[in-house]
Amino acid sequence: MKNAIRCAAALLAGVSATGAMAQSSVTVYGLVDTGLVYTTNANAAGASITKMPSLTGSFPSRLGFRGAEDLGDGLQAVFTLEMGLSMDTGTMGQGNRLFGRQASVGLKGAFGTVTLGRQINMTYIASMKGDVLGPNLFAIGSIDAYLPNARSDNAIGYLGNFNNFVVGATYSTGRDASAAGGPAATGCPGEVAGNSKACRQITGMVGYETPEYGLNTSYDIMYGNVGAAGGLTSSDNSDKRITVNGYAKVGAAKIGGGIVDRTTRAVTGVTESDLYFLGVSYPVTPLSTLDVQVARRDTKNSSSDANMVVARLTYYLSKRTAVYGALGRMQNSGASAVALDAGGTVGAGLTQNGVMAGLRHSF
């Protein structure tokens, strides 16, 4: 971790020095968020557990550098370097990558933004406004861990907004070079000579979004190769998600929801499922917000389904600091073993209840 910070500091110093001559701007930003969580039925014996989670609290912790240089005629050069942090141990996230959350450079203009490198893809962007809980420890990311970790290595990306019409796409020549780091890693580096499908990934999004309401849809397909996770051990294997997401302001409240249709063609066979989620976010007072969400994963031709309900209350001590608490329940049926807390454990077919509390500060 010390070496990582030294490298980051050296990089920032170099960029800042260059930026001073080129009249560019560099922003250092970050977020630190952690707490304690208690869940029941953490194993088949029905034992409970109290822990400090690694993955997230209400938001994943991170340290980042974002910069832009004005090239004239409305054109900018932009970059983002963002590293994940595990607050319980102080280590880097995303498989111990230096900039595992984002590492991209691009050009931004009236045409939109084109980026190159490791970046969040359209599945991530599409759900940002409709998912009221976001990457909370208790959320739909517990049911489908890919959703809050939808990033692509070796990717070319585009995102544009034209009179509230939003379009975007990414194309990855090798979607994930890491085999470690939990749900953010799938061990599929790709770029194999003679096999143009190996570890390729394509995502796309189109929608109409305003401050008051919005609707979008996204498409995401990733191919496998030898050694890839999730049973995608051949480039003929694939994991496809099609989403529809929406949100609307109703008075002071915001209602958001969506559907994720998933088809996995793995070496073990084809699995199909639908994930439905609906939530509401309401400012109880000027300094506190209540978020409530329900979700259901329906696995086709199987009784292994999961149902979730979560309520989270956030109290803002300032614009940058907040305390929060959440209650949640995950009901598993059949052989389903979806833990309420992202990255946690639960006995197969058991219902898990949980409570968490934490502190978040952004800078």
Side-chain angles (χ1 to χ4, degrees):
M1 186 66 186
K2 291 181 179 179
N3 290 334
I5 297 300
R6 291 193 190 101
C7 290
L11 175 65
L12 177 61
V15 171
S16 298
T18 304
M21 293 182 290
Q23 295 183 343
S24 63
S25 63
V26 177
T27 301
V28 182
Y29 65 93
L31 186 149
V32 284
D33 185 338
T34 194
L36 290 175
V37 57
Y38 169 85
T39 54
T40 63
N41 291 329
N43 57 26
S48 61
I49 188 171
T50 300
K51 63 183 180 181
M52 182 174 289
S54 296
L55 293 179
T56 183
S58 58
F59 289 94
S61 299
R62 80 286 304 262
L63 173 66
F65 308 93
R66 184 180 293 117
E69 180 188 10
D70 188 359
L71 302 176
D73 296 324
L75 186 65
Q76 289 183 315
V78 295
F79 76 87
T80 302
L81 298 171
E82 188 174 282
M83 63 189 301
L85 301 170
S86 297
M87 291 295 292
D88 58 336
T89 59
T91 56
M92 291 183 292
Q94 290 77 45
N96 205 36
R97 306 187 205 206
L98 178 57
F99 295 113
R101 290 184 57 85
Q102 295 185 72
S104 67
V105 62
L107 293 174
K108 181 178 181 181
F111 56 84
T113 305
V114 177
T115 45
L116 300 168
R118 175 170 170 83
Q119 53 196 291
I120 58 176
N121 61 41
M122 295 304 117
T123 299
Y124 185 105
I125 294 172
S127 66
M128 288 177 65
K129 296 178 181 178
D131 180 6
V132 299
L133 287 177
N136 192 59
L137 184 67
F138 302 165
I140 61 172
S142 299
I143 301 175
D144 186 346
Y146 173 73
L147 298 177
N149 294 288
R151 298 178 177 84
S152 303
D153 285 354
N154 306 298
I156 303 170
Y158 170 77
L159 187 64
N161 191 320
F162 305 97
N163 296 319
N164 298 321
F165 286 97
V166 182
V167 293
T170 62
Y171 176 78
S172 169
T173 60
R175 58 184 170 81
D176 199 334
S178 176
T186 56
C188 203
E191 301 175 332
V192 177
N195 188 348
S196 61
K197 286 176 61 178
C199 299
R200 293 299 196 264
Q201 183 176 24
I202 300 168
T203 76
M205 180 187 72
V206 60
Y208 185 82
E209 299 178 352
T210 74
E212 299 301 318
Y213 63 90
L215 181 69
N216 67 52
T217 182
S218 70
Y219 176 87
D220 183 329
I221 187 165
M222 60 177 76
Y223 294 95
N225 198 35
V226 177
L232 307 184
T233 55
S234 164
S235 59
D236 292 327
N237 300 137
S238 64
D239 198 357
K240 180 177 68 176
R241 291 173 177 83
I242 298 173
T243 77
V244 177
N245 309 273
Y247 63 92
K249 292 287 187 66
V250 181
K254 176 184 177 181
I255 299 174
I259 303 171
V260 182
D261 178 77
R262 181 180 182 186
T263 302
T264 305
R265 301 183 183 277
V267 66
T268 54
V270 178
T271 303
E272 296 178 283
S273 66
D274 289 325
L275 170 59
Y276 308 91
F277 62 96
L278 179 65
V280 60
S281 180
Y282 183 78
V284 181
T285 72
L287 296 177
S288 60
T289 301
L290 177 65
D291 306 300
V292 179
Q293 188 179 76
V294 294
R296 172 175 171 79
R297 186 197 65 189
D298 177 20
T299 305
K300 306 295 180 63
N301 304 313
S302 172
S303 61
S304 299
D305 301 325
N307 297 287
M308 183 195 78
V309 58
V310 175
R312 178 183 66 191
L313 182 64
T314 305
Y315 183 80
Y316 297 90
L317 301 172
S318 71
K319 290 184 178 181
R320 297 186 299 163
T321 304
V323 292
Y324 57 86
L327 298 171
R329 180 180 178 88
M330 185 75 74
Q331 182 182 28
N332 289 287
S333 60
S336 176
V338 177
L340 173 64
D341 58 321
T345 58
V346 64
L350 298 181
T351 294
Q352 187 169 63
N353 298 309
V355 59
M356 73 164 180
L359 173 66
R360 181 178 76 240
H361 175 76
S362 60
F363 58 92

